């Protein structure tokens, strides 16, 4: 065991998988010499060489597209997109190809690749550096979407993602990169995808969240009898864990950074409204960013859900 | 110190087989009679496939289909230069490549009949699935080449696309990356001079597709795409260069789409019968027949026999396609991912 | 009045707006000489010339990107993407720029453009020619999303979209292009965006749908006391009309062609689960495509919701 | 009939002002002393802005900021050639262009301080907002040029971007479209030889950015980007050509990013002090001062005065920026669209 922050934990997962499996290689902008703009791949070029830690030209679509080709050839590429706001340029490759290669070729070819990208707000960065558009990718069958909330699960989930036979979008909450430190095993281990984690137990209300919102949620529910579910895998999400909690509490708040409309919160609420409605004692409340363009740093504090808003939503539900 | 010239980039064109069937002996690649006959048979087979596909579509037995008529030399000629270890990344109009490489013909029919199972080629063939989204396959070829080199495999990747595809961002990002990493890759543009109704001049102000290689520091060459020997030679040379570490090549096969864009298109709306007639006269198959006749490899009887054998093979493939069982709805699920989520399992049960 | 199919109605809207407003022009692949692959822009090149009906190179990103530039200059471009499956290449321009130009420049520049594209399944076309990924675009604040369900509303909505000061994604259900004929005024008129239409009145169950699913829904509910809401504008959708109907019926089925997870149905269900839950007498059911890659024609009949599935869902709800 | 040469594309480089301050008289553009002094003042103002921005960032008074140090000649020189009717489509590292065109400096600070209001330029200036997503602004310049031509306006569009941006699909799609429509557009690449940690050689195998024009059938030229007269002249020529219907030009200003990529970067991780020192010696400002000194337009006093005035102007801008009221949360809503949905109105009330 060692104490690691999330950058170190991710770096450790990458290094171990590369050492264990020569099919694993990294590609992206500034991932080599610079070690990644957040230093996530620091030291890997020196250790594994330029053939496995590949600094690419500034071409998001070709980064993902080349990763697809590598995967089809039998490798296990891990592509980095420098910020989630720049994945939009690679959307076509992800949705048209990564997600569909297995289906299209009826299994003759697959695309076991990982796309890692810094995700989410709260870091006062320039425009497009704080996107949280996970819901878009959760609407793409054939792709899994994962968001760790701390160093331990980051390492275990990334390991699972790299070993997965299908494409995984791995979203790294930028705000948490160096915020949280945890005990993390130095050797490899798996945190299985598809399983949510109960981050806090409680009986009167269920709060579902993920990524960097989680610690805000935990602060917000202090002193309340709230169960907090950390989704971890967003697509496919762990319906059973959510429903089981709702069956006990009868009340749900879903919290995400993304704008409200058509966010992943909608899918979770809709699932509960179909499969768990008989347990509900109150409306399902979503606490999310408003349906506006993500603002620049000066207004981001007014945009992102904060503990006060989450707390109000929880209290409102507890009145039912 | 004033205006200086940094470099000059010459663009070349290769022609070997003339319209009359004569060849430039100095440039003619070394090909045994047997191989030439084989290439001819493949061209005839490709054309027979194409004719049948159009007929089947008209009869409602196939979906929308994009004919390859007129492009057989560019496809058979380039595919004939490949080794079994090489990889092919096709667009959607290279059925002549598939056929030359021995891709099961009934599977091609199956695919154009709207069935994904047609895209599951044999394990022995390194051909990526047909790609409908124009140009988006190009970066895949780049990734495969990176992987092959990383593995120290001798494979070279041949990526095919049309003239229209050269306007897509993925063409650019892909070729630029191939240049930077000096990859074992050959990019073959089937410049048939039309992208549906858009003629080449409205597709790009560049006089050739070949010169687009200059932007990436990679060699580009134009070949007469209706000249099977020029296509074969340019491809062989590019493959050899790539295999020996010399990096990528962009080959422009200047040819022509004789038929409609697809069976859903009516090319009469946007181009003249004259233009089409001019290119019909440049038929790559006739040209090869003339050459073979001069060499004593072809006469009407040979033509008839090759044609009959091709048609018989196509008949068998149609039968195989049409006697295949219907796909099962479960296949949608089991092919989306290696494992199914509980939700997917439930959905599968309901459907 | 004239009897028109949807192709003619859209053509009529384009021709009228171009005649009325010289800021309106068209661009896209094959929109000129060929009149569009579905003949939607037939005759417009001849009438308005190549400067206003622009055949572009095969470059979806630049088509939308150039439209943004034109709009910023003060024009009202109508861009065509040949099929919705090819909008993914233009996603970056739509989301990064069209949706945000007004916000980014604090109103100095806007992007009053329309992107038209054939949408949806049921036409036995090749891969990527039958996409229905509307939910992705409904998650982009700053962009409106509209889907007509017949010739009359197609013309009125497109006219409204062209006159709108902000970007609109106009999805044209391909299956309906020539299927439905209606009386359509020859002159220009508006069907306002943001308002749903009650396509059929009923009291026991509310069925919400749009686009080409609508006529399947109408068939499915025959003989049942069902109210059918045709959403028309998907983003922002008409919450009030949906809630008002649910308040009366207490039962809801939402039907869409897109895959279930994170589809627009999720947003509608979530909205009801928050704002209309007290009226609900039964779970909210979504009838949608399964969470799998859209199949090619041979399996598409098993993938798209059909009248039988919709009917079963309605009947199931009526048992509550 | 054998291998023929179709065309040859020469790539030229323009230099006028040497490092010693001498100019090539034959190539020197006609510029009054007054205009030269004005250009000098703008370079000093741009540099003063840049230095202050870095300082403010270090003090926590500004967000992440990308310095322009070393690129002032490429920016001031090109912007000085523009007419008021022209349009500018910037990337994120052309504050020297903004400043030359008279964009309010406090708004530039405001923007880099994380406030969208800084992007609302005056109506009189046709400058699109700063664009963070690399290369994605290029098609906007194309659309503006199409619109200007449709309107028969005399405007030419100048679109700026870096060397890294030339690898993006949008560069390709945009320039190709500009070529096809022969648009009144000038594309100016600030080739500062680095894209964060990626050097030019790993960005593209093309020896120059200028030669990328060949792919689009448009003229490309390389200029010494630290030579304000070469930049000015190439831009003027390209603008004049564009204005008279001669179509687009790609101008590569070969320069160097002396500072870190941004204040969040540490360039010491990936490049040598030697390389940076070499380019420091090519400082475009010193070079212009040497020329002006030779012409009697510059001495230490002039230098000091110009510098002091610039700093005073920057001081005023910082004050203006910092005394602006905080933006209101409502502005997020009222600027997302012209009208608000009921849901947005409700959200606005809650926030
Ligand atoms: C990205 C994308 N845009 C548009 C289409 C529709 N479409 C299919 S083929 C085609 C023209 C392709 O032209 P070219 O690349 O020259 O190939 P060709 O059809 O001539 O073989 C178009 C526009 C598509 N399939 N993919
Ligand atoms: C599409 C996109 N990808 C990645 C980034 C992150 N990023 C910001 S600037 C930059 C390098 C840009 O290089 P260049 O175009 O040469 O401009 P320069 O920074 O040298 O001025 C990168 C990778 C981005 N902003 N946009
Ligand atoms: Mg073509
Ligand atoms: Mg640069």
């Amino acid at each position: 065991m060692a104490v690691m922050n999330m950058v170190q934990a991710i770096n450790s997962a990458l290094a171990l998988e590369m050492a264990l499996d020569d099919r694993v290689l990294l590609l992206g902008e500034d991932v080599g010499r610079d070690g990644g703009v957040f230093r996530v791949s620091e030291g890997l070029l020196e250790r594994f060489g330029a053939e496995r830690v590949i600094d690419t030209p500034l071409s998001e679509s070709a980064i993902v597209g080349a990763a697809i080709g590598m995967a089809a050839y039998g490798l296990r590429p891990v592509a980095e997109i420098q910020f989630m706001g720049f994945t939009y340029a690679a959307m076509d490759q992800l949705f048209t190809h990564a997600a569909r290669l297995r289906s299209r070729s009826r299994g003759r070819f697959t695309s076991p690749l990982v796309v890692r990208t810094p995700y989410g707000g709260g870091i006062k960065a320039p425009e497009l550096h704080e996107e949280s558009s996970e819901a878009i990718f959760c609407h793409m069958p054939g792709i899994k979407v994962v968001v760790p909330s701390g160093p331990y699960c980051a390492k275990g989930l990334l390991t699972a993602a790299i070993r997965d036979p299908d494409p995984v979008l791995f979203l790294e909450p930028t705000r948490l990169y160096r915020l949280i430190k945890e005990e993390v095993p130095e050797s490899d281990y798996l945190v299985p995808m598809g399983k949510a984690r109960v981050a806090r137990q409680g009986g009167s209300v269920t709060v579902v969240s993920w990524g960097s919102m989680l610690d805000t949620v935990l602060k917000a529910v202090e002193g309340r009898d709230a169960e907090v579910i950390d989704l971890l895998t967003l697509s496919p999400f762990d319906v059973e864990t959510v429903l089981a909690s709702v069956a006990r509490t009868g009340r749900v708040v879903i919290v995400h950074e993304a704008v409200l409309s058509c966010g992943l919160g909608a899918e979770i609420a809709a699932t509960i409204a179909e499969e768990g409605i008989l347990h509900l004692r109150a409306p399902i409340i979503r606490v999310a960013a408003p349906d506006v363009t993500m603002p620049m740093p000066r207004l981001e504090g007014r945009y992102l859900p904060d503990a006060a808003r989450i707390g109000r939503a929880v209290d409102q539900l507890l009145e039912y | 110190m004033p205006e200086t010239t940094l470099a000059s980039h010459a663009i070349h064109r290769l022609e070997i087989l003339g319209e009359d069937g004569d060849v430039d002996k100095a440039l003619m690649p070394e090909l045994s009679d047997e191989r030439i006959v084989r290439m001819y048979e493949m061209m005839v087979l490709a054309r027979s496939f194409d004719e049948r596909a159009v007929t089947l579509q008209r009869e409602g037995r196939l979906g929308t289909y994009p004919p390859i008529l007129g492009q057989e030399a560019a496809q058979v000629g380039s595919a004939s230069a490949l080794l079994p270890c090489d990889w092919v990344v096709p667009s959607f109009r290279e059925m002549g490549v598939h056929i030359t490489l021995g891709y099961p013909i009934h599977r091609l029919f199956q695919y154009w009949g709207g069935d994904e199972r047609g895209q599951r080629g044999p394990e022995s063939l390194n051909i990526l699935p047909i790609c409908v989204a124009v140009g988006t396959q190009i970066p895949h070829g780049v990734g495969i080449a990176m992987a092959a080199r990383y593995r120290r495999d001798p494979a070279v990747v041949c990526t095919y696309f049309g003239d229209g595809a050269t306007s897509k961002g993925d063409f650019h990002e892909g070729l630029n990356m191939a240049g930077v990493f000096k990859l074992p890759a050959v990019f073959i543009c089937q410049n048939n001079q039309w992208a549906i109704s858009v003629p080449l001049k409205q597709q790009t102000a560049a006089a050739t597709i070949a010169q687009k290689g200059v932007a990436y520091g990679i060699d580009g060459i134009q070949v007469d795409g209706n000249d099977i020997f020029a296509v074969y030679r340019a491809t062989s040379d590019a493959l050899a260069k790539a295999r020996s570490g010399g990096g990528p090549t962009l080959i422009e096969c200047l040819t022509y789409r004789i038929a409609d864009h697809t069976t859903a298109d009516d090319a009469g709306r946007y181009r003249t019968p004259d233009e089409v007639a001019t290119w019909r006269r440049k038929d790559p198959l006739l040209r090869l027949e003339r050459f073979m006749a001069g060499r004593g490899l072809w006469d009407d009887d040979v033509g008839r026999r090759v044609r009959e054998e091709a048609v018989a093979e196509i008949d068998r493939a149609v039968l195989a396609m049409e006697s295949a069982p219907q796909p099962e709805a479960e296949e949608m699920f089991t092919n989306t991912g290696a494992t199914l989520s509980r939700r997917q399992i439930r959905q599968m049960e309901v459907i």
Side-chain angles (χ1 to χ4, degrees), chain B residues 164-235:
Chain B
T166 67
S167 297
K168 284 283 288 182
D170 276 350
F171 165 85
H172 177 73
E173 296 195 4
L175 267 77
N176 186 58
M177 210 178 263
V180 166
F181 296 117
K182 229 182 169 195
L183 295 176
V186 180
F187 298 98
I188 302 189
C189 180
Q190 303 269 309
N191 178 0
N192 63 12
Q193 307 189 55
W194 289 90
I196 309 187
S197 73
V198 178
L200 189 61
K201 280 213 162 52
Q202 277 179 257
Q203 195 62 247
T204 182
T208 66
I209 300 293
Q211 77 199 55
K212 292 181 186 280
V214 173
Y216 314 114
I218 74 181
D219 297 329
I221 183 169
Q222 187 185 80
V223 306
D224 178 345
N226 287 13
D227 166 349
I228 193 165
F229 297 134
V231 173
Y232 176 86
R233 191 195 169 114
T235 311

Side-chain angles (χ1 to χ4, degrees), chain B residues 129-142:
Chain B
I130 283 172
C131 176
V132 166
V134 170
T136 58
Q137 75 279 19
I138 298 173
H140 309 161
V142 172

Side-chain angles (χ1 to χ4, degrees), chain B residues 95-348:
Chain B
M95 280 65 81
V97 172
H98 285 88
I99 287 171
T100 305
L101 297 178
Y103 194 93
I105 293 176
H106 71 279
R107 289 217 190 278
L108 288 178
F109 281 129
Q110 200 172 24
Y111 173 71
W112 291 111
D115 187 339
E116 287 90 347
R117 292 174 302 173
Q119 296 250 45
R120 187 174 173 106
E123 301 289 323
S124 59
L125 281 184
N126 304 317
I127 308 184
L128 246 51
I130 283 172
C131 176
V132 166
V134 170
T136 58
Q137 75 279 19
I138 298 173
H140 309 161
V142 172
I144 292 171
M146 290 171 85
R149 184 164 55 206
Y150 167 60
R151 286 306 197 192
R152 307 280 183 270
D153 291 341
V156 179
V157 187
C158 242
T159 303
Y160 287 87
F161 47 86
D163 44 307
T166 67
S167 297
K168 284 283 288 182
D170 276 350
F171 165 85
H172 177 73
E173 296 195 4
L175 267 77
N176 186 58
M177 210 178 263
V180 166
F181 296 117
K182 229 182 169 195
L183 295 176
V186 180
F187 298 98
I188 302 189
C189 180
Q190 303 269 309
N191 178 0
N192 63 12
Q193 307 189 55
W194 289 90
I196 309 187
S197 73
V198 178
L200 189 61
K201 280 213 162 52
Q202 277 179 257
Q203 195 62 247
T204 182
T208 66
I209 300 293
Q211 77 199 55
K212 292 181 186 280
V214 173
Y216 314 114
I218 74 181
D219 297 329
I221 183 169
Q222 187 185 80
V223 306
D224 178 345
N226 287 13
D227 166 349
I228 193 165
F229 297 134
V231 173
Y232 176 86
R233 191 195 169 114
T235 311
S236 298
D237 290 354
L239 288 167
K241 184 185 81 171
R243 228 179 290 282
S244 64
T249 307
L250 169 61
I251 300 175
E252 171 188 8
C253 301
L254 188 65
T255 178
Y256 192 80
R257 194 195 82 211
I258 299 278
D260 292 333
H261 169 68
T262 64
T263 50
D265 175 52
D266 171 11
R269 293 174 66 89
Y270 51 79
R271 60 187 196 181
T272 64
D274 267 13
E275 179 182 310
V276 181
T278 306
W279 281 92
R280 271 196 185 279
R281 283 193 294 276
K282 297 182 202 265
D283 185 335
L285 195 49
L286 293 182
R287 213 191 275 192
L288 180 58
E289 285 175 354
R290 283 182 204 121
F291 166 80
M292 288 170 66
R295 201 149 161 170
L297 295 172
W298 191 90
D299 58 22
D300 284 347
D301 279 351
V302 172
R304 200 170 316 112
R305 185 186 43 75
V306 170
R307 176 85 199 171
E308 280 166 10
E309 281 169 15
V311 169
E313 187 166 348
I314 299 299
D315 287 342
R316 286 192 296 275
V318 173
L319 206 68
M321 181 257 298
E322 295 200 326
S323 58
Q326 278 289 335
E328 304 285 342
E330 288 75 48
E331 294 173 29
M332 299 192 294
F333 291 84
T334 53
N335 287 287
T336 292
T339 51
L340 293 176
S341 69
R342 293 204 205 171
R343 174 171 281 189
Q344 287 170 317
I345 292 171
R346 192 127 47 91
Q347 291 172 334
M348 189 163 69

